[in-house]
Amino acid sequence: MAKHQMVTIDGNSAVTLVAHKVNEVIAIYPITPSSSMGEMSDELSAKGSKNIWGTVPLVAEMQSEGGAAGAVHGALQTGALTTTFTASQGLLLMLPNMFKIAGELTSTVFHVSARSLAAQALSIFGDHSDVMAARSTGFAFLASNSVQEAHDFALIAQAATLEARVPFCHFFDGFRTSHEINKIEPLADEDIRAMINDDLVRIHRARALNPDKPVMRGTAQNPDTYFQGRETVNPFYLQTPGIVQAQMDKFAELTGRHYHLFDYVGVPDAERVIVMMGSGAEVAHETVEYLVAQGEKVGVLKVRLFRPFNVVDFVAALPESVKVIAVLDRTKEPGAAGEPLYQDVITALAEVGRAVKVVGGRYGLSSKEFTPAMVKGVFDELKKDAPKNHFTVGINDDVTHTSIACDSAFNIEKPDVVRAMFYGLGSDGTVGANKNSIKIIGEETDNFAQGYFQYDSKKSGAVTVSHLRFGPRPIRQTCQITKANFIGCHQFVFLEQFDMLANAEDGAVFLLNSPFSLEETWNLIPARVQQQMLDKKIRLYVIDAYKVADEAGLGGRINTIMQTCFFAISGVLPRDEAIDAIKHAIKKSYGSKGDKVVQMNYAAVDHTLAHLHQVPLEGKVVNGPALKPVVPDAAPDFVKEVTAMMIARKGDEIPVSKMPVDGTYPTATTQWEKRNIAMEIPVWEPDICIQCAKCAMACPHAVIRLKIYDPEYLENAPEGFRHTDAKGKEFAGKLFTIQVSPEDCTGCGLCVETCPAKDKTDPSRKAINMTPQPPIRERESGYWEYFLNVLPDYNRTEVNLKTVKGSQLLRPLFEFSGACAGCGETPYVRLLSQLFGDRAVIANATGCSSIYGGNMPTTPWAQNQDGRGPVWSNSLFEDNAEFGYGFRLTLDKQVEYARELVQRFRGKLGNELADGLLNAAQLEEADYAAQRERVAQLRIRLADDHSPAAMDLLSLADVLVRRSVWILGGDGWAYDIGYGGLDHVLAQGRNVNVLVLDTQVYSNTGGQMSKATPRAAVAKFAAAGRPLAKKDLGLIAMTYGNIYVAQIAMGANDTQSLRAFREAESYEGSSLIIAYSHCIAHGMPQMNMGFKQQQLAVESGAWMLYRYDPRLTAQGKNPLQLDSREPKVDIADYMYNEVRFRTLRQSDPDRAAELLLLARGDARSRWNHFKQLSELDYSVLAGK
Amino acid sequence: MVALTTTYMGLKLRSPIVPSASPLTRDLESIRAMAAAGAGAITLHSLFEEQIEHEVQLLGAVLDGSENIYSESLDFFPKLTEFRRDERDYLKLIEAAKAAVDTPIIASLNGYSAGGWTRYARLSQEAGADAVELNIYYIPTNPRVSSAIVEDMVVDVLREVKAQVQIPVAVKLSPYFSAMAYMAKRLEEAGADGLVLFNRFYQPDLDIKALETKRTLTLSTSAEMLLPLRWVAILYGQVQTSLALTTGVHTAEDVMKALMTGADVANVCSVLLREGIGKITELISELSIMMSARGYNSIADLKGVLSHEHTPHPEAFERANYVKLIGQ
């Protein structure tokens, strides 16, 4: 095969390259891990890339997967070749249409990057739960096991569906295949062309709804005929396997790659066989070859076409000799007699009368690693007289003891394969450089190449681990590297955080980026790591990549340097060739970004080798520092036993018994994970501070806090603890301190940008200033401990909550989240937690806020000193308003019942207490404190009453303290997928508070356009700049008249934000707050510009501030109050500080100019409209 | 009839009034109006080195910095984005201006360092520009950067541009050279076809309440003309390049002064921003009347008559003037 034909791409790209060629309409909606297929389709179409019929496919982003499936159904019914891409919950939303599409025998292929379903928890990772939930739809299911197969089967599925009329779900494992980069042979256009029969395409078109030949489809049938109608399709299903095999045969003739409905690998006389599908089958394939070479009688049967399941071909593919079979399912069907593939195998064998022992097992849920050791473990189990059935492999199930044993030392990596692991930070470019390396090696050498990347659960300070394999044969090891011969550590601090050398084989290279001198470096490596190095005879190389990068003008981007080191040391390519290839890649990657960038990277490459040193370990002694425990001793047991394991990347070792059974987890755990990710942290200067609290208000991570306290609390303060006299007469005689948590700060600098106080003699010095963290870490940690644990929180009942300063005296009950450094959403979330957290019940739509709010291992929702704090849950992406509404319904019902019971027990409680419980105002903090006291009294007075009614009242009494129901989510939820539900819930008028964190794109899935995206902004699916104006959610909500609506931007007016939160919460009806949230997806040069951009957004009219309070209507006042002024800044001055707008000036200046004019018009007309609305006369409505 | 034609860097101009680079010359309609009003040539708004090099670096850095961090959002922008650079806008403006008016069009490049961006001089030539004005604007704040380094930098930029184009090249200078006449000579020797005296910097103002600097844009006054006037007078005859006087030209009398000290053209900007493009016509007709009243039939007749070389009191342009003034 000619070298130049090969490409190194990921699975999603491999699929899209085909799907875009053989379709006319593509309707999509972003969902991990399938999003990039839709994005790539959109990009291909935007570039004018044509399908095999010479026309550019039409790509449409819908408002949900349900919408996408509806659009697909419609497009199919009117005759277009149509596809979609999805995964997980997205596939579930498509189910109703899938039944219809199949019932109507409509040719289509859905490409699914298979992903876990949200059950006890959401997971974005890969398994077959989603496709298995769709297996009854009537779709055919074709499984790809590798990137090459995903590419090939995308075409085979398309060819087959046209002939069979049965729609296909082509699936492959999320992340493991969708995101793995591998070297594949791409299909030539003529091969694609040859596989698609245009006669069948025209027949498909001829079946379309056409008023020239009217028919109807989608009727309603009755008991007399539905059943028969359902059976009409049988012949098509019976033919489908044959059609698929015929297409596979035809494909083989064209490409030389021959697939079958079931492919067997192993000895012909195998006694033990594994049956499975998906990427794990490749690991099994390679392991079987290894075991066969050792003389073992084993084999693996790969299932390609799962539905329609062809019994005859399946049985024929099994060796006659087989005595025992393990069927491995990558899904869990609780309560079933067995998982789906297992049941099919049992049925198939029973139907043909083959008496073979069959056991079923589960593996690999949520991308749990599936390794050669596990394959061997399964084969070993099958050797037993009574092998375990319904087993699990890859975990330790110490509860129902389903798991089977594996020898983790078993390894089949071959010595001629380079196995390299790189630990980097998301922000240092490690992954990008590795993707480049794979391309270089895959495309410039005869080597096969594979890359797989692990990302962090946090978005700030995120760690990445890259797994790269290069070798002379196609790489089937679809699992992470556990025996590396090269490990790159791109950040010195990782040495204390992860056991990086656990995966190093003896004699492996360890490349360390060290900011220290060559002499110092060894002494600073932790002792345990030093010992490992000596034990494993590691070859240690050290470079100060930051120094090289700095000298080359690259700032913190060390990627090219570390890449050069890898090539220089590993010898995958001759050194000079490698350097040429890296430079070629640099030119390709950065050429479009200007000559200077290219030259800087070239310089970095040229200077690297002079700074790269091998450090001989002979004679080295173990003298490094000891490692600190992952979490402190003070942490709760669960955190120490479970959470700490996850933090240390040892979560795989946690046994089932340690896991909560129902997905319930303790809150307030981020405090135990000290991540130390900030290079610089803010330090307070008491003499300059004006005590405005804007820094704390702005802090996205709740690391800046202030306290006002009596001087006696300073008695045992650590030396140098900063404080000053509190300003304001209400605080007379008290002290004031602002303290930063040094180990939780992300170093975003938003606070410093926001601080208005400057040193009058040196205006470059503010009341807080960024200062390098390492030298002051210990001192500031001591201060923080004292501040947090010794100084008292200010009494909530005495705080003036109308002021920003007052609000910041309240303890944040949302802290240290994993949101991006400088996040624009979290300041609002933190404020909410401060104001209402001890009474808050929170429903959170899936998205950024559910990830930084609820992603393991540690979560930020916290508790106050009384142990009270927000309760939080995430249902789905689309149903969050309804989910939160459900909270309200419960509370309303429970309050009603509790009040009835209070009446019933009036005698026992006493009138005063009963009246207080029933009638006391609950508006201010003092009211809540008083009501809590009454509830406590109630408990005392009913303590000895064991009547059912009394027990009921005791179980419900807490709800008598007013709960605060909050419904949180992003614009993707509120404007698009959840809008129908949100609209319905708001319209009901019950007391729910909705907070829309409006980043104006789908942030969590990577910046896809939503209906909140403003005109002229570039986003995914709006590569040419969004041509339409932003949907005005607030205006729509106001039309109901009884909904409190506020639009806020904390960076522009923090007092207005505060006021809006308090008004919304106090309103006894539905409230909607739409909060401008700057975002990494906006492309600001620095995230610390976020609040300044918010200010410009408001001053330019891009974002209006207002509050619409229905309570004012009754007073004869206009409910709409504008809180921003007539735009005085040109909107361009706001827009062009952000890449999302700026990039369009680069790519299409004419269109940018045109959209700018329209955006200016939007700002003017918005102002004009709201201004007039705010001036309407409501006096006639007074008192009505 | 008075002849207002003049020659500037070898270009025959119908009048000595040349609008300088400003936001006004960003727009094709204004360019048309300037031509119609009688401008001798039109200097387009400046294309900045920063626009050419730094913009793409900035975009690149922002995009790179947000990629491959989190598994659900490996990037945030469509990969389609090509950095086609908004300089192309500029080249399109040159083409459009050339198609729209007969008046010579001068492209203006603003930067300070030799490098890739100077290729835009060649691209401007290819787009039809009749000349290039290099606005070499550098604030030497580093105490280790000597005047010699700054001078070399300016000359290097000029050399690099001259090597790429055949059309004439003018250099617009700041007044802050230790040895202006020497500098002018060096530029002449390096191939400058014209010198434009002087660049008028936007100077930051202070906000004493916010303890910050603030951007200001104040229009010039005739009083500011005296500095360039002096230097045009001094250089006239000493360098063989064309001379343009810029800063503070507001009235026909100012234009007359510029020409009399030896300038080939007078650049106008603030006056157009304040009074509109139609002011060009007014200046031309007043200049014509003024020249006629004083018996000058052509620009050539009056050019340089009050230059350092020709004025009856050359010491007025020298240090002696200072002594006299303080002596009064």
Side-chain angles (χ1 to χ4, degrees):
Chain A
M1 216 162 291
K3 219 167 48 172
H4 68 271
Q5 286 181 321
M6 306 296 277
V7 293
T8 45
I9 53 175
D10 68 13
N12 278 347
S13 305
V15 169
T16 313
L17 286 175
V18 173
H20 190 263
K21 283 272 182 222
V22 294
N23 280 287
E24 298 167 299
V25 171
I26 301 173
I28 44 87
Y29 187 75
I31 184 164
T32 307
S34 73
S35 304
S36 68
M37 291 187 280
E39 291 159 17
M40 187 175 170
S41 298
D42 187 51
E43 286 157 16
L44 286 169
S45 283
K47 275 196 278 202
S49 184
K50 292 173 178 166
N51 63 19
I52 55 170
W53 299 280
T55 185
V56 177
L58 186 60
V59 181
E61 184 195 14
M62 299 303 296
Q63 90 290 6
S64 73
E65 291 89 350
V72 167
H73 189 195
L76 289 167
Q77 282 302 317
T78 38
L81 294 173
T82 309
T83 190
T84 188
F85 313 102
T86 196
S88 193
Q89 317 297 133
L91 188 66
L92 295 196
L93 286 178
M94 294 188 176
L95 290 180
N97 266 299
M98 291 173 75
F99 279 93
K100 298 283 293 181
I101 290 167
E104 293 161 352
L105 288 174
T106 315
S107 301
T108 184
V109 181
F110 286 15
H111 300 277
V112 175
S113 49
R115 163 181 159 181
S116 307
L117 293 176
Q120 85 284 1
L122 167 151
S123 167
I124 59 170
F125 295 101
D127 65 36
H128 301 161
S129 311
D130 51 1
V131 287
M132 288 303 152
R135 70 185 191 278
S136 64
T137 52
F139 269 53
F141 284 81
L142 188 63
S144 291
N145 301 348
S146 66
V147 177
Q148 179 74 62
E149 288 179 16
H151 187 59
D152 294 348
F153 287 13
L155 181 58
I156 290 169
Q158 185 70 27
T161 191
L162 285 169
E163 192 176 345
R165 291 192 62 184
V166 171
F168 273 61
C169 172
H170 166 228
F171 70 96
F172 43 96
D173 290 349
F175 283 105
R176 186 65 252 183
T177 306
S178 68
H179 283 57
E180 176 185 301
I181 298 178
N182 210 313
K183 183 172 180 172
I184 68 160
E185 187 187 356
L187 291 163
D189 276 5
E190 52 271 26
D191 294 337
I192 300 177
R193 186 57 278 184
M195 285 292 290
I196 302 298
N197 180 343
D198 277 357
D199 290 339
L200 295 173
V201 172
R202 284 187 279 272
I203 292 169
H204 169 80
R205 205 171 282 145
R207 286 193 292 265
L209 297 174
N210 175 354
D212 291 331
K213 290 179 282 178
V215 291
M216 64 190 302
R217 221 174 267 142
T219 58
Q221 293 177 344
N222 302 302
D224 55 344
T225 56
Y226 178 90
F227 192 171
Q228 301 94 300
R230 205 76 181 93
E231 297 298 327
T232 57
V233 298
N234 297 348
F236 294 89
Y237 285 86
L238 291 170
Q239 287 167 14
T240 298
I243 289 170
V244 173
Q245 187 56 60
Q247 293 295 351
M248 286 174 160
D249 296 344
K250 184 175 171 187
F251 184 87
E253 281 171 29
L254 292 166
T255 66
R257 292 190 291 281
H258 203 170
Y259 303 104
H260 302 86
L261 303 185
F262 303 93
D263 274 312
Y264 175 77
V265 177
V267 282
D269 58 344
E271 293 173 358
R272 288 165 289 144
V273 169
I274 288 175
V275 177
M276 66 189 303
M277 55 187 169
S279 62
E282 296 304 285
V283 175
H285 179 139
E286 200 141 283
T287 311
V288 161
E289 286 180 339
Y290 177 90
L291 293 174
V292 165
Q294 314 279 312
E296 300 231 27
K297 298 204 167 201
V298 294
V300 58
L301 186 64
K302 303 178 190 177
V303 177
R304 312 287 196 185
L305 186 68
F306 170 64
R307 286 281 181 279
F309 194 91
N310 189 284
V311 170
V312 175
D313 280 30
F314 170 74
V315 174
L318 267 181
E320 290 286 341
S321 52
V322 66
K323 290 182 180 153
V324 55
I325 294 173
V327 185
L328 299 186
D329 273 279
R330 199 163 199 161
T331 187
K332 161 97 178 157
E333 210 169 293
E339 268 66 32
L341 186 59
Y342 166 79
Q343 293 212 40
D344 282 8
V345 169
I346 294 271
T347 306
L349 291 171
E351 284 190 359
V352 298
R354 281 246 337 242
V356 179
K357 179 154 189 63
V358 182
V359 295
R362 293 181 294 279
Y363 74 102
L365 295 198
S366 176
S367 290
K368 171 74 74 192
E369 280 292 284
F370 184 64
T371 63
M374 295 173 198
V375 175
K376 179 158 187 299
V378 173
F379 281 126
D380 289 347
E381 185 69 21
L382 294 185
K383 272 187 191 162
K384 295 180 181 168
D385 293 339
K388 213 173 245 186
N389 197 358
H390 309 299
F391 65 81
T392 55
V393 61
I395 57 168
N396 174 11
D397 174 8
D398 56 344
V399 176
T400 49
H401 308 287
T402 59
S403 46
I404 60 168
C406 301
D407 172 11
S408 59
F410 178 76
N411 196 283
I412 61 168
E413 297 277 14
K414 298 191 172 70
D416 59 354
V417 175
V418 174
R419 286 154 270 130
M421 292 176 73
F422 300 88
Y423 289 77
L425 276 181
S427 52
D428 68 16
T430 300
V431 170
N434 286 328
K435 286 182 175 173
N436 256 334
S437 297
I438 298 165
K439 276 213 171 297
I440 289 172
I441 295 167
E443 293 176 8
E444 314 257 338
T445 75
D446 288 332
N447 279 300
F448 286 86
Q450 178 206 49
Y452 187 75
F453 305 93
Q454 283 176 283
Y455 300 92
D456 208 317
S457 59
K458 312 278 185 193
K459 299 186 186 216
S460 54
V463 178
T464 62
V465 187
S466 309
H467 299 255
L468 271 58
R469 285 187 180 93
F470 307 108
R473 296 166 301 277
I475 293 161
R476 291 183 190 281
Q477 288 254 43
T478 47
C479 54
Q480 292 165 14
I481 293 167
T482 53
K483 282 282 170 215
N485 44 29
F486 188 106
I487 292 182
C489 173
H490 292 195
Q491 302 290 335
F492 197 88
V493 294
F494 293 166
L495 290 173
E496 22 176 297
Q497 294 172 350
F498 316 118
D499 187 359
M500 258 178 295
L501 288 174
N503 293 321
E505 67 177 19
D506 285 359
V509 169
F510 187 62
L511 168 64
L512 178 62
N513 173 24
S514 165
F516 309 110
S517 72
L518 217 49
E519 295 70 39
E520 277 178 302
T521 295
W522 174 262
N523 303 332
L524 292 167
I525 295 173
R528 190 194 68 192
V529 184
Q530 288 176 329
Q531 189 64 55
Q532 279 175 310
M533 287 189 188
L534 297 177
D535 293 348
K536 294 194 172 192
K537 299 188 171 49
I538 295 293
R539 288 182 288 150
L540 174 65
Y541 287 82
V542 173
I543 185 167
D544 185 350
Y546 280 115
K547 189 174 168 200
V548 181
D550 201 44
E551 285 171 2
L554 289 173
R557 301 289 285 183
I558 56 167
N559 50 357
T560 323
I561 296 151
M562 299 307 284
Q563 187 186 16
T564 307
C565 293
F566 167 70
F567 277 104
I569 301 168
S570 70
V572 189
L573 276 172
R575 204 172 267 202
D576 291 345
E577 260 180 59
I579 287 176
D580 283 351
I582 294 171
K583 288 189 173 173
H584 181 67
I586 288 169
K587 183 86 187 160
K588 246 167 116 177
S589 305
Y590 299 111
S592 65
K593 294 168 188 168
D595 195 41
K596 269 196 182 163
V597 183
V598 173
Q599 294 303 333
M600 287 192 297
N601 277 284
Y602 282 1
V605 171
D606 291 337
H607 294 150
T608 294
L609 297 183
H611 289 78
L612 175 64
H613 304 284
Q614 182 165 11
V615 179
L617 297 192
E618 289 81 37
K620 291 279 187 207
V621 291
V622 174
N623 61 354
L627 288 175
K628 279 201 277 185
V630 179
V631 295
D633 255 0
D637 288 348
F638 182 84
V639 171
K640 279 196 280 198
E641 289 171 19
V642 180
T643 312
M645 294 284 280
M646 293 188 245
I647 295 172
R649 298 187 165 240
K650 292 183 173 168
D652 286 325
E653 296 169 23
I654 299 171
V656 172
S657 63
K658 295 282 185 195
M659 298 293 290
V661 296
D662 56 359
T664 307
Y665 283 80
T667 61
T669 49
T670 45
Q671 61 180 313
W672 306 114
E673 186 181 13
K674 296 300 178 199
R675 303 202 302 138
N676 283 301
I677 60 173
M679 307 285 279
E680 293 188 323
I681 57 168
V683 173
W684 180 52
E685 302 289 349
D687 58 318
I688 303 169
C689 184
I690 56 171
Q691 303 184 10
C692 66
K694 280 179 183 289
C695 53
M697 186 73 161
C699 181
H701 309 282
V703 302
I704 303 188
R705 311 248 175 120
L706 55 114
K707 283 188 178 177
I708 294 176
Y709 51 93
D710 289 324
E712 67 254 29
Y713 285 101
L714 275 191
E715 264 170 35
N716 299 312
E719 196 187 333
F721 184 77
R722 289 174 295 265
H723 57 85
T724 186
D725 290 343
K727 291 185 197 289
K729 56 179 183 297
E730 69 272 43
F731 304 122
K734 292 183 189 289
L735 297 178
F736 177 95
T737 291
I738 286 183
Q739 180 61 46
V740 172
S741 174
E743 299 188 286
D744 296 304
C745 178
T746 66
C748 72
L750 195 62
C751 53
V752 174
E753 284 300 307
T754 308
C755 175
K758 289 178 187 161
D759 182 344
K760 299 241 178 326
T761 57
D762 175 9
S764 65
R765 182 168 166 257
K766 288 184 153 189
I768 40 170
N769 302 285
M770 296 309 280
T771 312
Q773 190 251 29
I776 58 170
R777 181 203 290 189
E778 210 166 310
R779 181 190 81 197
E780 294 297 319
S781 293
Y783 291 170
W784 171 253
E785 285 298 315
Y786 190 82
F787 175 90
L788 194 69
N789 300 322
V790 180
L791 298 187
D793 283 342
Y794 206 82
N795 186 341
R796 288 180 72 89
T797 64
E798 291 171 11
V799 169
N800 178 3
L801 288 175
K802 289 181 183 150
T803 65
V804 167
K805 182 173 174 179
S807 73
Q808 292 316 300
L809 285 168
L810 303 179
R811 186 183 185 126
L813 298 179
F814 174 88
E815 59 185 11
F816 323 140
S817 79
C820 297
C823 174
E825 295 187 356
T826 45
Y828 299 111
V829 179
R830 190 214 63 244
L831 178 61
L832 186 164
S833 81
Q834 289 172 297
L835 294 171
F836 319 114
D838 57 351
R839 300 181 289 115
V841 189
I842 298 170
N844 204 138
T846 310
C848 275
S849 52
S850 75
I851 293 299
Y852 60 65
N855 201 3
M856 295 282 113
T858 57
T859 53
W861 293 97
Q863 299 174 8
N864 67 14
Q865 278 160 330
D866 305 331
R868 290 197 175 86
V871 283
W872 179 94
S873 187
N874 158 248
S875 175
L876 300 170
F877 191 12
E878 62 272 21
D879 73 341
N880 189 48
E882 300 92 313
F883 186 52
Y885 186 67
F887 295 176
R888 184 75 259 167
L889 291 176
T890 292
L891 288 168
D892 285 354
K893 184 60 236 168
Q894 289 184 340
V895 168
E896 187 180 21
Y897 182 36
R899 290 172 64 89
E900 288 165 8
L901 291 169
V902 168
Q903 284 290 12
R904 226 186 282 177
F905 285 94
R906 180 175 281 275
K908 195 153 194 171
L909 295 172
N911 281 335
E912 190 188 340
L913 180 59
D915 287 341
L917 283 164
L918 295 173
N919 304 325
Q922 294 195 56
L923 291 170
E924 303 295 338
E925 288 300 322
D927 302 339
Y928 300 121
Q931 185 76 343
R932 282 198 185 105
E933 182 50 39
R934 287 184 203 103
V935 170
Q937 281 299 316
L938 175 149
R939 290 191 182 287
I940 293 165
R941 292 185 198 180
L942 292 186
D944 56 355
D945 189 337
H946 300 297
S947 69
M951 305 277 276
D952 270 3
L953 181 50
L954 286 168
S955 72
L956 289 171
D958 287 341
V959 300
L960 291 168
V961 180
R962 189 173 177 269
R963 297 289 195 242
S964 189
V965 174
W966 284 88
I967 297 173
L968 261 67
D971 48 285
W973 158 66
Y975 286 67
D976 289 355
I977 195 168
Y979 176 68
L982 176 64
D983 175 67
H984 184 83
V985 166
L986 287 174
Q988 303 313 304
R990 283 191 190 262
N991 187 1
V992 295
N993 306 289
V994 177
L995 172 60
V996 179
L997 301 158
D998 191 347
T999 62
Q1000 314 181 356
V1001 276
Y1002 289 83
S1003 300
N1004 192 50
T1005 48
Q1008 295 85 1
M1009 170 179 66
S1010 77
K1011 286 199 286 297
T1013 303
R1015 199 183 321 246
V1018 166
K1020 288 177 184 163
F1021 303 120
R1026 183 161 197 247
L1028 304 172
K1030 179 184 172 75
K1031 169 174 168 176
D1032 200 328
L1033 185 64
L1035 196 57
I1036 298 170
M1038 276 181 228
T1039 59
Y1040 283 103
N1042 65 341
I1043 300 169
Y1044 177 90
V1045 185
Q1047 191 159 288
I1048 64 176
M1050 191 187 280
N1053 187 338
D1054 47 13
T1055 308
Q1056 189 252 2
S1057 289
L1058 175 62
R1059 186 180 286 185
F1061 268 99
R1062 298 187 67 237
E1063 287 177 356
E1065 208 272 342
S1066 70
Y1067 180 59
E1068 288 290 337
S1070 311
S1071 302
L1072 171 67
I1073 298 177
I1074 306 165
Y1076 184 107
S1077 305
H1078 62 255
C1079 178
I1080 190 170
H1082 294 177
M1084 293 178 292
Q1086 301 287 338
M1087 284 293 276
N1088 65 10
M1089 291 171 58
F1091 271 23
K1092 290 206 166 138
Q1093 277 302 95
Q1094 292 195 19
Q1095 200 171 344
L1096 282 171
V1098 169
E1099 287 173 356
S1100 67
W1103 186 265
M1104 288 192 54
L1105 302 181
Y1106 60 80
R1107 288 165 296 126
Y1108 179 97
D1109 190 340
R1111 287 169 290 203
L1112 295 178
T1113 311
Q1115 300 168 30
K1117 292 181 186 159
N1118 189 316
L1120 178 62
Q1121 305 162 86
L1122 296 188
D1123 296 320
S1124 51
R1125 298 203 185 95
E1126 184 162 5
K1128 61 174 185 192
V1129 170
D1130 183 4
I1131 201 164
D1133 291 346
Y1134 151 70
M1135 287 164 57
Y1136 295 132
N1137 290 334
E1138 297 181 358
V1139 166
R1140 61 176 168 153
F1141 296 109
R1142 205 161 175 146
T1143 188
L1144 190 60
R1145 289 200 310 191
Q1146 300 290 321
S1147 60
D1148 191 347
D1150 292 339
R1151 187 173 159 88
E1154 185 189 320
L1155 291 177
L1156 172 62
L1157 286 180
L1158 292 171
R1160 277 199 186 107
D1162 292 340
R1164 272 195 302 272
S1165 65
R1166 195 161 35 231
W1167 170 258
N1168 178 50
H1169 189 73
F1170 274 84
K1171 180 92 178 99
Q1172 295 191 56
L1173 282 181
S1174 72
E1175 288 166 353
L1176 290 176
D1177 183 3
Y1178 275 69
S1179 57
V1180 294
L1181 300 177
K1184 297 192 177 148
Chain B
M1 185 66 191
V2 173
L4 291 182
T5 53
T6 183
T7 303
Y8 178 56
M9 299 196 286
L11 303 170
K12 298 271 179 235
L13 312 188
R14 60 179 163 153
S15 87
I17 314 274
V18 175
S20 54
S22 81
L24 279 178
T25 54
R26 186 185 280 274
D27 170 48
L28 191 59
E29 282 317 301
S30 305
I31 291 168
R32 275 207 182 95
M34 287 171 181
I42 297 165
T43 318
L44 297 186
H45 74 97
S46 289
L47 180 62
F48 288 83
E49 175 181 353
E50 285 81 355
Q51 256 168 296
I52 297 168
E53 293 294 349
H54 300 184
E55 170 82 1
V56 284
Q57 279 177 37
L58 168 78
L59 294 185
V62 170
L63 297 182
D64 283 352
S66 61
E67 280 179 7
N68 293 314
I69 292 175
Y70 186 66
S71 49
E72 296 205 70
S73 45
L74 296 178
D75 52 41
F76 288 98
F77 292 93
K79 289 183 197 72
L80 184 66
T81 311
E82 269 182 63
F83 294 95
R84 286 196 243 157
R85 303 174 172 140
D86 58 358
E87 310 86 78
R88 274 211 307 206
D89 243 5
Y90 194 78
L91 302 176
K92 273 161 66 183
L93 180 67
I94 297 175
E95 282 170 20
K98 283 303 293 176
V101 302
D102 291 334
T103 313
I105 295 295
I106 302 170
S108 167
L109 297 182
N110 187 321
Y112 61 90
S113 58
W117 70 282
T118 56
R119 72 186 176 281
Y120 278 86
R122 177 173 50 78
L123 295 173
S124 297
Q125 173 178 286
E126 286 165 13
D130 297 286
V132 170
E133 180 178 290
L134 287 177
N135 189 345
I136 303 174
Y137 175 13
Y138 178 74
I139 307 282
T141 53
N142 183 337
R144 305 257 168 238
V145 173
S146 70
S147 53
I149 294 174
V150 177
E151 288 164 10
D152 289 347
M153 200 161 75
V154 174
V155 171
D156 285 349
V157 175
L158 173 66
R159 284 218 179 92
E160 202 170 293
V161 169
K162 279 298 285 184
Q164 298 183 59
V165 297
Q166 287 76 49
I167 53 175
V169 177
V171 180
K172 188 168 183 174
L173 288 171
S174 90
Y176 307 118
F177 284 96
S178 313
M180 179 56 75
Y182 163 79
M183 190 64 211
K185 201 69 192 167
R186 273 194 77 185
L187 288 168
E188 180 189 5
E189 285 162 8
D193 300 285
L195 297 177
V196 184
L197 309 178
F198 289 113
N199 191 1
R200 182 168 173 269
F201 298 118
Y202 294 131
Q203 309 288 9
D205 197 356
L206 300 181
D207 180 336
I208 57 170
K209 197 168 150 215
L211 294 177
E212 273 175 7
T213 55
K214 60 180 184 187
R215 284 190 296 180
T216 56
L217 176 58
T218 48
L219 298 177
S220 72
T221 63
S222 291
E224 291 177 56
M225 185 189 174
L226 300 180
L227 179 69
L229 203 64
R230 169 189 234 168
W231 278 104
V232 170
I234 292 171
L235 294 180
Y236 179 77
Q238 298 207 68
V239 293
Q240 304 314 310
T241 67
S242 288
L243 293 171
L245 186 147
T246 185
T247 298
V249 180
H250 284 250
T251 64
E253 192 180 333
D254 294 342
V255 177
M256 187 101 165
K257 287 177 186 171
L259 300 171
M260 288 174 118
T261 51
D264 298 296
V265 295
N267 285 352
V268 286
C269 177
S270 290
V271 70
L272 303 188
L273 288 167
R274 190 177 288 136
E275 297 183 41
I277 291 168
K279 181 71 181 179
I280 296 173
T281 317
E282 212 177 290
L283 289 175
I284 287 172
S285 95
E286 283 175 14
L287 176 65
S288 183
I289 293 164
M290 218 182 278
M291 282 170 64
S292 166
R294 285 162 181 73
Y296 296 111
N297 292 323
S298 70
I299 301 284
D301 286 354
L302 58 81
K303 185 149 38 161
V305 297
L306 287 176
S307 66
H308 184 242
E309 192 178 38
H310 294 133
T311 176
H313 299 291
E315 70 280 7
F317 289 117
E318 296 164 10
R319 184 174 161 80
N321 188 33
Y322 172 72
V323 178
K324 267 191 191 167
L325 275 175
I326 56 171
Q328 279 168 1

